[in-house]
Amino acid sequence: MNRLVVIIICCTMATPALADSGDFEWSISPYLWAPQTRLDLSLEDEALGGGELSFGDLVDKIDAAFMITAEGGRNHWSVFADLAWVELSDSEQRPVFRVDTTTEAVMLDAGVAYWPGGIGAPLSFIGGLRYHDFDNRFRFRLGDTPVSEVTDSQTYYDALIGIRYRFDLGHRWDLMTRADASFGDSDGTWMLRATFGRTVGKSERNRILFGYQYRRADFSSGDLEMEFTYHGPTAGFEFRF
């Protein structure tokens, strides 16, 4: 179940702060989210238990990762995309055999944002697609001898809606807030985030970002239901051009 956790923690962190200059404006932000993760399982509405996983435990399982978010637009409209790719591996020794697990996971948020007051105004509404793809490979070994291999792939498409609002706190400081939800193939995901931003440099176009994010995501596979809860600090850097 840890495979499903990691890709969800690597999702959208930054709300790009575009300026309505009349030209097409872009913002790109690499980011990191370091949450505590809670998993609760149930089968046919019967609780199976769960547990918590620290961010450090997740990092030990990551082989490679790529995370980036971008947004660009002008006037009252912008387009955005948030891509995260993670490859993980783990090995667990059972009483008789060992299980080696490899997972490739992709998450993509993509859509449009509408700014009633024009790009750069405090309020914007977002809508689009939230996509999850998980490819798992399980190798069973007796000692060093391969016995069998099992593969499992799951893809989820959800419709995404949300709202963002920025509070200006001074010349270089602001507080960006976001709330969104998605529904479709999954049983629903919900996210709340607050991010402080400080502009840096003489041009004041780039920003340091830090804040806090809470997310809940529900998935089901047959009669098995999985409820994930994540909460923890965020950090990143935003490039605007």
Side-chain angles (χ1 to χ4, degrees):
M1 296 307 172
N2 293 350
R3 302 293 163 271
L4 192 57
V5 176
V6 175
I7 189 62
I8 302 175
I9 71 167
C10 297
C11 56
T12 316
M13 195 281 298
T15 302
L18 304 177
D20 191 7
S21 64
D23 299 326
F24 204 87
E25 298 278 338
W26 279 101
S27 174
I28 297 178
S29 304
Y31 58 89
L32 174 69
W33 183 21
Q36 293 289 320
T37 303
R38 172 79 186 179
L39 168 62
D40 292 297
L41 299 174
S42 61
L43 183 65
E44 296 182 343
D45 297 326
E46 190 74 26
L48 298 179
E52 288 197 353
L53 198 65
S54 71
F55 179 68
D57 293 334
L58 292 176
V59 169
D60 291 339
K61 303 176 187 300
I62 296 176
D63 294 330
F66 176 75
M67 293 159 280
I68 193 169
T69 183
E71 185 165 357
R74 65 178 180 179
N75 299 328
H76 292 275
W77 293 92
S78 64
V79 294
F80 67 89
D82 192 338
L83 174 65
W85 171 81
V86 179
E87 184 177 281
L88 310 101
S89 63
D90 194 14
S91 181
E92 182 178 355
Q93 182 64 51
R94 301 292 179 88
V96 178
F97 53 85
R98 188 175 83 245
V99 183
D100 297 327
T101 306
T102 303
T103 295
E104 287 189 23
V106 177
M107 176 178 171
L108 174 66
D109 284 359
V112 299
Y114 173 67
W115 309 66
I119 286 181
L123 177 66
S124 62
F125 300 94
I126 62 173
L129 172 72
R130 176 166 284 163
Y131 167 84
H132 297 89
D133 182 72
F134 307 100
D135 290 317
N136 303 301
R137 179 173 295 176
F138 305 92
R139 297 181 181 91
F140 299 88
R141 299 176 182 271
L142 286 174
D144 294 328
T145 304
V147 176
S148 65
E149 182 174 305
V150 178
T151 59
D152 173 63
S153 297
Q154 295 189 37
T155 301
Y156 301 87
Y157 294 92
D158 285 356
L160 171 69
I161 57 171
I163 185 172
R164 306 182 299 194
Y165 194 85
R166 186 189 73 247
F167 298 89
D168 295 321
L169 305 178
H171 175 60
R172 287 182 177 265
W173 288 92
D174 57 43
L175 173 63
M176 298 166 291
T177 60
R178 170 172 166 169
D180 70 40
S182 68
F183 301 92
D185 290 341
S186 77
D187 296 332
T189 65
W190 300 264
M191 191 266 288
L192 298 172
R193 183 182 62 239
T195 304
F196 288 98
R198 176 177 168 79
T199 57
V200 294
K202 294 181 179 180
S203 64
E204 299 185 11
R205 292 186 62 82
N206 301 326
R207 295 192 305 158
I208 299 171
L209 306 168
F210 60 93
Y212 202 86
Q213 182 166 279
Y214 171 88
R215 177 183 291 265
R216 173 176 163 175
D218 296 340
F219 295 89
S220 60
S221 179
D223 293 328
L224 179 65
E225 297 178 356
M226 299 163 284
E227 178 184 304
F228 295 90
T229 304
Y230 325 88
H231 57 91
T234 59
F237 195 85
E238 180 183 71
F239 301 90
R240 289 181 287 176
F241 54 93

